[in-house]
Amino acid sequence: MINKVVGSFDEAMADVQSGAMIHFGGFANPHNTPNYLIAALARRGADQLTGVSTYAGHGEEVQRELFERRNLEPLPDGWDLGLMAELGRLGKLITSFPNGNSRELLYPFEHVLRRGEAEVEVLGQGSIAERIRCARAGIPAFYTPVGVGTFVAEGKEVREFDGVAHILETALKADFALIRAHRADRFGNLVFRGPRTFNQTMAGAAAVTVAEVDEVVPLGELGPDEIHTPGVYVQRVVVRPSTPLDDWRTPA
Amino acid sequence: MINKVVGSFDEAMADVQSGAMIHFGGFANPHNTPNYLIAALARRGADQLTGVSTYAGHGEEVQRELFERRNLEPLPDGWDLGLMAELGRLGKLITSFPNGNSRELLYPFEHVLRRGEAEVEVLGQGSIAERIRCARAGIPAFYTPVGVGTFVAEGKEVREFDGVAHILETALKADFALIRAHRADRFGNLVFRGPRTFNQTMAGAAAVTVAEVDEVVPLGELGPDEIHTPGVYVQRVVVRPSTPLDDWRTPA
Amino acid sequence: MSEQPELLDESVMAMVAARDLPDGAIVNLGLGLPLALSDYIPPDREVLFHSEQGIVGFGARVFDPAEMDPLLMNAGGEPVASAPGMSYMSHDESFAMIRGGHIDVTVLGALQVDAQGNLANAQIPGKPAPGLGGGQDLATCAKQVLVVMRHVAPNGDPKIVERCDMVLTALGCVDRVVTDVGLFEIADGRVTLLEYAPGWTVDQIQAITGAELAVAEDVREIVLI
Amino acid sequence: MSEQPELLDESVMAMVAARDLPDGAIVNLGLGLPLALSDYIPPDREVLFHSEQGIVGFGARVFDPAEMDPLLMNAGGEPVASAPGMSYMSHDESFAMIRGGHIDVTVLGALQVDAQGNLANAQIPGKPAPGLGGGQDLATCAKQVLVVMRHVAPNGDPKIVERCDMVLTALGCVDRVVTDVGLFEIADGRVTLLEYAPGWTVDQIQAITGAELAVAEDVREIVLI
């Protein structure tokens, strides 16, 4: 019998080793971020990680400020990649937004970069997305017109197709992909709610894809036309706690 | 106001010129084939077409035989690419199944090939699918391990990634993509039913994508999490007749 | 030199940019000033706003917390309204859509734009690394690139220049620029003033511009309709 | 040479192939004999059958027209049952899944298989062109390639050979072969007989095989459990 549901976030992250490459899903919004997987990864303590994430995370302080600007209550459990930056767990980050959007706020990874404590590879969001999709799809490399003539093209092969210059980009396969979805079944089939962001993109682009979900439903409840990501791409599923925790150190 | 619904299949095919390149959606099943678009294309009379289709079509006779083998009533309106082959409208076909599956039955395109009346490019189904997806996604070329060392690799660049040989395949952008879906709205948003086949793959991979649907519903009825193909990829929508026609020559 | 006339405020800049979006256009809104455009679409038009995280067809920004959907935000993280016909997708499909040339207009902020249409908006002064977001894909692949930015940088430097000297995002891509003093076209290595903000003269605009301006034959004061 | 023992019929060949599919495996079924496998999964196991047009998780074949869903067929166009947890996708995603190495076992028909694991199933005699379907992607990218075929061609030629002389589909890919006389493993340039059909001797099997057979130490008669 297939059952991909694991009992705890700590169990789901128990085999992450230092130096691993990790895809972090979501897009600059704690509501589509795998908050509890990130907290469990922080508890796990693995470091010198290579992260792949379109943004570098808000961290607790900046996130509170962003929520207050919109007259919203900050989330108690809105942990994101900023936590990994604050804890110094990132050896390298491949990202399109190494900084925050705000000129006034300093985001956690900006501190890391200023202290020279991590490497960064800055790449356009579409090229990151496609490199990840290639890992899922078994394509080692593709050509894109994006980045030609800019710092992104440095050291990359340039080749013309139909008279237009393109650069060669390669697949980004990770050891783990941490993603967030709405509903799952025991096969690991996923249904998302809202923009599916890098969560859907990263599913299947790592040796182990772990989905943090609001709910696991009985097999058959998710219909074949409705499933966004087949369970084939998902190795582990963990359900978020019904009552939010407020300290990332609390086992969950 | 955006309204992609056109009044007739003939209108939807009115600007197809001889020599055009056309993506034909579906997969070897008249129930997921854009039957009425194909009939209208046949009425339009454009020839020397370059077709892209994973299979070469059954044609009326073979289809009747296949249905009878399963004790099913043949469809009166199950027209597929076989019709274009019978009418001699294909100058070239890019396909993974140039022949039928059955050793005993002779499919229409097999006759065309034997008479030497059309060119054929045989390629694995996954490489065809990815070349079409590349056209939708703005990628001119990609590397795949599929086909290395076989007739498929002839004349293609071979390159190693991680010690494994790959060949370079290029995007296949068509002038028209004819696809079949279940429901649409006036923005051209599509919802499919069943395996989405090349119908979903081809949407957006041509200058003009035309969707043949069972039903057009009011805007807003298809929910944002439910839409399989955004209307951005679809230029025209045509609704199938409520009563099936039984002659492809009948205007619809 | 006479005293400087009033600058357009951000909402008026957004209205000018929104004014020219054609009915049925697929329009991506980038970070910063462009985000306001979805608030200003004339009611007789349907414009489908695309956002990089996987949305086509969202509506105006939402400012009342009671009406916010925490999952539905624009690219800058501002809550927006849903609209009939909206659809969601993945990041890879969203950028397939961008790279594949399916976006009619991309509206981007900028640090510098030059007469060749080069765009620099990656290296914000004071930030430790350049950031690209989706801007590089959009600037390279959208059918039309519209920049909405202040005419002059906070330090007083002109932002429309002969040749960008900041980190480039994409080459030869910018078609039009809306600033707080006017509307400009960039084509064939030349920046042309099409419309000016009320009270501004060509000379006053040229004085704060780092590239030589051509002036359209039918140059006129900005109107919002 | 004694009279030839009975050949396994097609359902038994499918049962032998199905017998070894592990619980939880993602298995693609190709055209021809492999299609029958979904009818023979032991009830204590969950095997997810993948079909190229965009299905994961379909069930057994359906022979009663009243129970057929005209949209739900296997790769050979035979109606199949739906099963809980099944999902649909596009052709591009279906082959992303295949090419990306997410398929555990692909079960394919073949015209020839050789001792190097090369597979020929493209050029059916009498057909005007080679056909590949999804077989080339599957043979190249699935974790395990299992061939199910008759041991001998209709014209009497052996189908397991030292070196394929027919049009190749993929190189060095075949791991196991089920025929109507036995189960074989192909590895390190050698074909090894693992199990034989009831009544068959090694010599009898060797006599109709075009490659030199090794014999497994624990060679045994085929059992279905």
Side-chain angles (χ1 to χ4, degrees):
Chain A
M1 189 176 118
I2 302 167
N3 187 6
K4 297 182 178 173
V5 182
V6 299
S8 75
F9 289 92
D10 289 300
E11 188 186 334
M13 293 287 93
D15 52 349
V16 179
Q17 306 300 323
S18 289
M21 179 163 165
I22 303 190
H23 288 326
F24 292 90
F27 177 76
N29 179 351
H31 290 282
N32 60 34
T33 300
N35 317 111
Y36 286 91
L37 284 171
I38 290 172
L41 181 62
R43 291 194 296 278
R44 164 80 186 142
D47 63 7
Q48 283 302 309
L49 302 173
T50 292
V52 181
S53 170
T54 193
Y55 77 120
H58 295 150
E60 202 173 340
E61 217 170 302
V62 168
Q63 192 177 103
R64 190 182 313 115
E65 169 68 23
L66 293 174
F67 270 66
E68 280 169 5
R69 286 184 184 181
R70 287 178 196 124
N71 298 313
L72 291 170
E73 282 291 311
L75 296 179
D77 55 1
W79 310 296
D80 67 10
L81 196 51
L83 175 62
M84 302 305 289
E86 284 163 359
L87 295 171
R89 302 288 170 74
L90 296 169
K92 181 177 177 181
L93 186 62
I94 301 174
T95 189
S96 62
F97 290 110
N99 319 299
N101 295 338
S102 167
R103 291 203 193 201
E104 312 91 58
L105 297 173
L106 268 178
Y107 287 54
F109 193 67
E110 297 182 47
H111 293 293
V112 171
L113 284 178
R114 288 188 180 186
R115 292 193 300 261
E117 290 169 359
E119 237 188 291
V120 67
E121 178 181 338
V122 177
L123 189 63
Q125 204 164 195
S127 295
I128 295 181
E130 190 64 18
R131 292 178 67 189
I132 296 168
R133 191 257 175 199
C134 278
R136 177 174 96 226
I139 292 169
F142 66 99
Y143 289 96
T144 173
V146 178
V148 171
T150 75
F151 71 90
V152 160
E154 279 164 27
K156 291 176 186 163
E157 178 189 325
V158 179
R159 179 163 174 173
E160 286 199 1
F161 292 91
D162 279 336
V164 179
H166 290 73
I167 57 180
L168 186 70
E169 295 282 0
T170 54
L172 270 179
K173 179 154 185 177
D175 298 302
F176 291 85
L178 314 189
I179 66 169
R180 171 91 175 260
H182 178 41
R183 301 203 299 165
D185 62 26
R186 66 178 172 85
F187 281 5
N189 290 313
L190 301 180
V191 168
F192 296 89
R193 210 170 41 171
R196 299 200 277 275
T197 74
F198 274 91
N199 289 316
Q200 189 177 25
T201 299
M202 289 169 168
V208 179
T209 295
V210 190
E212 170 174 336
V213 300
D214 297 319
E215 197 186 358
V216 170
V217 300
L219 197 70
E221 200 170 310
L222 307 178
D225 291 314
E226 175 196 9
I227 289 166
H228 292 124
T229 290
V232 174
Y233 292 144
V234 177
Q235 280 68 47
R236 298 174 193 167
V237 171
V238 205
V239 185
R240 291 167 62 88
S242 47
T243 309
L245 304 179
D246 60 6
D247 186 338
W248 66 265
R249 292 169 198 84
T250 310
Chain B
M1 189 176 118
I2 302 166
N3 187 6
K4 296 182 177 172
V5 182
V6 299
S8 75
F9 289 92
D10 289 299
E11 188 185 335
M13 293 287 93
D15 52 349
V16 179
Q17 306 300 323
S18 288
M21 178 164 166
I22 302 190
H23 288 327
F24 291 91
F27 177 76
N29 179 350
H31 290 282
N32 60 33
T33 299
N35 318 109
Y36 286 91
L37 284 171
I38 290 172
L41 180 62
R43 291 192 296 277
R44 165 80 186 141
D47 63 8
Q48 283 302 308
L49 301 173
T50 292
V52 181
S53 171
T54 193
Y55 76 120
H58 295 151
E60 201 172 342
E61 216 170 302
V62 169
Q63 191 176 103
R64 190 182 313 114
E65 169 69 22
L66 293 174
F67 271 66
E68 279 170 5
R69 286 186 185 181
R70 289 181 192 119
N71 299 312
L72 290 169
E73 282 292 310
L75 296 180
D77 54 1
W79 308 298
D80 67 10
L81 196 50
L83 176 60
M84 301 306 289
E86 284 163 359
L87 295 171
R89 302 288 170 74
L90 296 170
K92 180 177 178 182
L93 186 62
I94 301 173
T95 189
S96 61
F97 290 109
N99 318 300
N101 295 338
S102 167
R103 290 200 193 201
E104 311 92 60
L105 296 173
L106 268 179
Y107 288 55
F109 193 66
E110 297 182 46
H111 293 291
V112 171
L113 283 178
R114 288 186 180 188
R115 291 194 300 261
E117 291 170 356
E119 236 185 293
V120 68
E121 178 182 338
V122 177
L123 189 63
Q125 204 165 195
S127 295
I128 295 181
E130 191 64 18
R131 291 178 68 188
I132 296 168
R133 190 255 176 200
C134 277
R136 176 174 96 226
I139 292 169
F142 66 99
Y143 289 96
T144 174
V146 178
V148 171
T150 75
F151 71 89
V152 160
E154 279 163 29
K156 291 176 186 163
E157 178 189 325
V158 179
R159 179 162 173 175
E160 285 198 1
F161 292 92
D162 279 336
V164 178
H166 290 73
I167 57 178
L168 186 70
E169 294 283 1
T170 55
L172 270 180
K173 180 154 184 174
D175 298 304
F176 291 84
L178 315 189
I179 67 169
R180 171 92 176 260
H182 178 41
R183 300 204 298 166
D185 61 27
R186 66 178 172 84
F187 282 5
N189 291 312
L190 301 180
V191 167
F192 296 89
R193 211 169 42 169
R196 299 201 276 277
T197 74
F198 274 91
N199 288 315
Q200 190 177 25
T201 299
M202 289 169 168
V208 178
T209 295
V210 190
E212 170 174 336
V213 300
D214 296 319
E215 196 187 0
V216 170
V217 300
L219 197 70
E221 200 168 312
L222 307 178
D225 291 314
E226 175 196 9
I227 289 166
H228 292 124
T229 290
V232 175
Y233 291 143
V234 178
Q235 281 67 48
R236 299 174 193 167
V237 171
V238 205
V239 185
R240 290 167 62 90
S242 47
T243 309
L245 306 179
D246 61 4
D247 186 339
W248 66 265
R249 293 169 198 83
T250 310
Chain C
M1 191 170 139
S2 61
E3 199 176 310
Q4 195 175 275
E6 222 175 325
L7 297 170
L8 299 181
D9 72 20
E10 297 190 355
S11 5
V12 176
M13 292 164 69
M15 286 179 218
V16 174
R19 183 196 67 185
D20 296 341
L21 298 175
D23 190 31
I26 319 294
V27 179
N28 182 286
L29 300 182
L31 295 178
L33 297 179
L35 295 175
L37 262 76
S38 70
D39 300 354
Y40 299 113
I41 294 307
D44 62 330
R45 257 176 272 168
E46 287 182 329
V47 170
L48 295 181
F49 289 108
H50 173 276
S51 192
E52 55 206 41
Q53 71 270 44
I55 320 175
V56 175
F58 63 86
R61 292 179 296 176
V62 174
F63 297 99
D64 176 355
E67 291 180 6
M68 291 175 185
D69 172 350
L71 290 169
L72 184 51
M73 306 208 171
N74 61 25
E78 300 171 329
V80 290
S82 75
M86 183 174 73
S87 61
Y88 294 136
M89 70 207 85
S90 68
H91 240 98
D92 53 298
E93 193 62 52
S94 175
F95 279 88
M97 193 174 279
I98 292 169
R99 204 187 309 96
H102 306 277
I103 304 294
D104 295 310
V105 185
T106 184
V107 191
L108 294 167
L111 296 163
Q112 278 184 336
V113 167
D114 73 22
Q116 303 302 318
N118 295 320
L119 170 70
N121 67 0
Q123 181 61 67
I124 295 171
K127 290 289 186 184
L132 291 169
Q136 191 170 67
D137 295 81
L138 286 158
T140 307
C141 303
K143 289 182 199 148
Q144 195 189 44
V145 177
L146 172 61
V147 164
V148 181
M149 65 177 189
R150 295 275 169 204
H151 201 83
V152 171
N155 69 358
D157 284 348
K159 298 177 71 172
I160 298 180
V161 294
E162 275 307 331
R163 198 88 198 166
C164 290
D165 57 9
M166 298 176 83
V167 174
L168 286 180
T169 303
L171 276 61
C173 58
V174 179
D175 298 296
R176 286 193 159 209
V177 183
V178 173
T179 75
D180 43 18
V181 306
L183 169 65
F184 305 84
E185 184 178 69
I186 300 184
D188 307 321
R190 205 169 46 231
V191 185
T192 303
L193 176 68
L194 302 179
E195 301 183 27
Y196 49 84
W200 284 80
T201 66
V202 173
D203 286 349
Q204 285 171 320
I205 294 174
Q206 179 66 72
I208 56 169
T209 303
E212 195 186 339
L213 288 179
V215 178
E217 267 185 44
D218 55 349
V219 66
R220 59 168 191 164
E221 186 177 289
I222 285 174
V223 287
L224 289 178
I225 330 167
Chain D
M1 192 171 139
S2 62
E3 200 175 308
Q4 194 175 276
E6 222 176 324
L7 297 170
L8 300 181
D9 72 20
E10 298 190 355
S11 3
V12 176
M13 292 164 68
M15 286 180 217
V16 174
R19 182 196 69 185
D20 295 341
L21 297 175
D23 190 31
I26 319 294
V27 179
N28 182 286
L29 300 182
L31 296 178
L33 297 180
L35 296 175
L37 261 77
S38 70
D39 300 353
Y40 298 112
I41 294 307
D44 62 331
R45 257 177 272 168
E46 287 182 329
V47 170
L48 295 182
F49 288 109
H50 173 275
S51 191
E52 56 205 43
Q53 71 270 45
I55 320 176
V56 174
F58 64 85
R61 292 180 296 177
V62 174
F63 298 98
D64 177 355
E67 290 179 6
M68 291 175 185
D69 171 352
L71 290 169
L72 184 50
M73 307 209 171
N74 61 25
E78 300 171 330
V80 290
S82 74
M86 183 174 73
S87 61
Y88 295 136
M89 70 207 85
S90 68
H91 241 98
D92 52 299
E93 193 61 50
S94 176
F95 279 86
M97 193 175 277
I98 293 169
R99 204 186 310 98
H102 305 277
I103 304 294
D104 295 311
V105 184
T106 184
V107 191
L108 294 167
L111 296 163
Q112 277 184 337
V113 167
D114 74 21
Q116 303 302 319
N118 296 321
L119 170 70
N121 66 0
Q123 181 61 67
I124 295 172
K127 290 290 186 184
L132 291 168
Q136 191 171 66
D137 295 82
L138 286 157
T140 307
C141 303
K143 290 181 199 149
Q144 196 189 43
V145 177
L146 172 61
V147 164
V148 181
M149 64 178 190
R150 295 273 170 209
H151 201 84
V152 170
N155 68 358
D157 285 348
K159 298 177 71 172
I160 298 180
V161 294
E162 276 306 331
R163 198 91 197 162
C164 289
D165 58 8
M166 299 176 82
V167 174
L168 287 180
T169 303
L171 276 60
C173 59
V174 179
D175 299 296
R176 287 192 160 212
V177 182
V178 173
T179 75
D180 43 16
V181 306
L183 169 66
F184 306 83
E185 183 179 69
I186 300 185
D188 308 321
R190 205 170 43 232
V191 184
T192 304
L193 176 68
L194 302 179
E195 303 182 26
Y196 48 84
W200 285 80
T201 66
V202 173
D203 287 348
Q204 285 170 320
I205 294 173
Q206 179 66 72
I208 57 170
T209 302
E212 193 186 341
L213 287 179
V215 179
E217 266 185 44
D218 54 349
V219 67
R220 57 168 191 166
E221 186 176 290
I222 285 175
V223 288
L224 288 178
I225 331 166

